[in-house]
Amino acid sequence: EFAVAEIGEAPVLFAWLALGSQARREAVPSSDLDSAVVFLKGDYPAIDVDQVTRPYFANLAQRTTEILVACGFHPDTHRASASDPLFVRSLDSWQAAGRSWLEDPTQDKALVLTSVLVDSRPVFGAQVGEMLTETFRPAREHPALLRMLARFSLSHRPPTGFLGGLVVEHSGEHRGQLDLKEGGILPIVNLARWAGMASGVVSASTPERLRAAKEVGVLSRADADTLLESFELVSELRLDHQTAQLMVGTEPDDFVDPASLSALTRTYLKEAFRAVAGVQQGISADLDLGSR
């Protein structure tokens, strides 16, 4: 709203989409800014759309990012951003791309981009944004896509070692520390995204997706409850860790020294990681993902 007030009204109706953890309402202080834009072409001839919209949205993305950075948010230079023309498209273009990804998930980056767009939430221009997310609701009618998403969701594994011990970073600046995001949050978020899409749910939080999957039977009640409880545990620990860092003026991150945790917390964490790994193994076996 501030950016639009500064640079003027857009030449077309549009929605600014939050992506990732912000879209799922799961952001923490270390979260990056992931964003996209969807707009309606209106009465402009197709040949004029880019000439009219591209300069405006490039300016809008730059100014919006500047304002958010001034508020303490972190711009993401490596992933999805409205500063990248790839993530600024008309509704027709986004919908056509989404339908093609559903039909042929083997396309380059189809799984990644589907995951990005399913994790979207309009924070400005809601109606246009909601029209986009609805494109992915028929995902449960596309078994090839769901199978590939299921396999993709198993690419992040909880950091459990021999006899259920915690696996820490072996080198680099975080040597000896535990990555709560890569090993704790992402395995559950990815499973919930797959389960939610298989349940006909889009644009939702991780807990909402897991509860929906439990209700329709995509996940057993035991597995869904395990993932829910583990997600709450790791999320709370992650937020406590980053809050403590902010209070002493340290840049928030996701790396925790297991030795700094109480014996009880370490036990809970190991049990949670082991339980999530067990759910992953069960899903892999049920869907026969290991043999192909």
Side-chain angles (χ1 to χ4, degrees):
E1 290 176 349
F2 288 143
V4 169
E6 288 183 21
I7 69 177
E9 292 292 330
V12 291
L13 291 175
F14 78 97
W16 180 277
L17 304 177
L19 305 177
S21 61
Q22 292 179 344
R24 299 190 305 271
R25 295 181 172 87
E26 296 162 6
V28 293
S30 66
S31 296
D32 293 329
L33 284 172
D34 297 324
S35 58
V37 165
V38 54
F39 62 87
L40 296 179
K41 289 183 179 180
D43 296 328
Y44 288 102
I47 195 172
D48 293 333
V49 170
D50 282 352
Q51 296 175 5
V52 171
T53 60
R54 294 299 180 193
Y56 178 87
F57 287 122
N59 193 11
L60 178 73
Q62 178 180 349
R63 187 64 191 120
T64 301
T65 300
E66 290 172 350
I67 294 171
L68 291 170
V69 168
C71 296
F73 290 92
H74 306 277
D76 189 343
T77 58
H78 302 293
R79 293 184 63 192
S81 170
S83 300
D84 184 342
L86 177 65
F87 292 94
V88 179
R89 304 191 191 189
S90 69
L91 178 62
D92 290 345
S93 175
W94 275 126
Q95 288 178 326
R99 286 191 292 267
S100 74
W101 299 335
L102 292 177
E103 293 293 338
D104 181 12
T106 63
Q107 297 177 70
D108 183 40
K109 298 182 179 179
L111 286 181
V112 173
L113 291 173
T114 296
S115 298
V116 168
L117 265 293
V118 168
D119 280 15
S120 70
R121 178 169 57 90
V123 294
F124 185 96
Q127 185 174 3
V128 181
E130 289 166 358
M131 293 167 69
L132 171 59
T133 55
E134 283 299 310
T135 305
F136 297 96
R137 195 172 296 280
R140 55 183 170 177
E141 302 168 10
H142 297 270
L145 171 75
L146 291 178
R147 183 177 179 80
M148 291 184 68
L149 275 173
R151 182 179 286 113
F152 180 71
S153 74
L154 300 178
S155 59
H156 287 91
R157 299 284 183 171
T160 57
F162 184 62
L163 296 179
L166 294 174
V167 176
V168 297
E169 299 294 305
H170 295 293
S171 61
E173 62 177 313
H174 300 296
R175 182 178 180 180
Q177 296 179 318
L178 184 67
D179 190 336
L180 292 177
K181 179 180 178 180
E182 289 291 323
I185 296 294
L186 288 184
I188 304 173
V189 166
N190 291 341
L191 278 176
R193 184 185 301 112
W194 158 75
M197 293 181 71
S199 305
V201 174
V202 294
S203 189
S205 70
T206 296
E208 288 172 339
R209 287 168 168 167
L210 292 173
R211 284 191 283 266
K214 176 171 64 173
E215 291 303 315
V216 302
V218 170
L219 291 175
S220 70
R221 290 190 172 273
D223 284 353
D225 289 342
T226 291
L227 295 175
L228 276 165
E229 292 172 11
S230 299
F231 183 74
E232 291 172 0
L233 172 66
V234 180
S235 295
E236 183 175 352
L237 179 60
R238 185 186 185 205
L239 189 57
D240 286 346
H241 167 67
Q242 295 194 9
T243 301
Q245 289 180 306
L246 289 174
M247 292 182 71
V248 298
T250 302
E251 189 73 18
D253 62 28
D254 293 299
F255 296 93
V256 173
D257 181 356
S260 69
L261 304 175
S262 69
L264 186 60
T265 299
R266 286 199 302 271
T267 298
Y268 285 151
L269 202 53
K270 285 190 287 188
E271 289 300 317
F273 287 161
R274 188 164 61 180
V276 172
V279 173
Q280 287 183 325
Q281 291 170 1
I283 290 173
S284 179
D286 289 344
L287 299 180
D288 192 23
L289 297 179
S291 61
R292 299 182 185 179

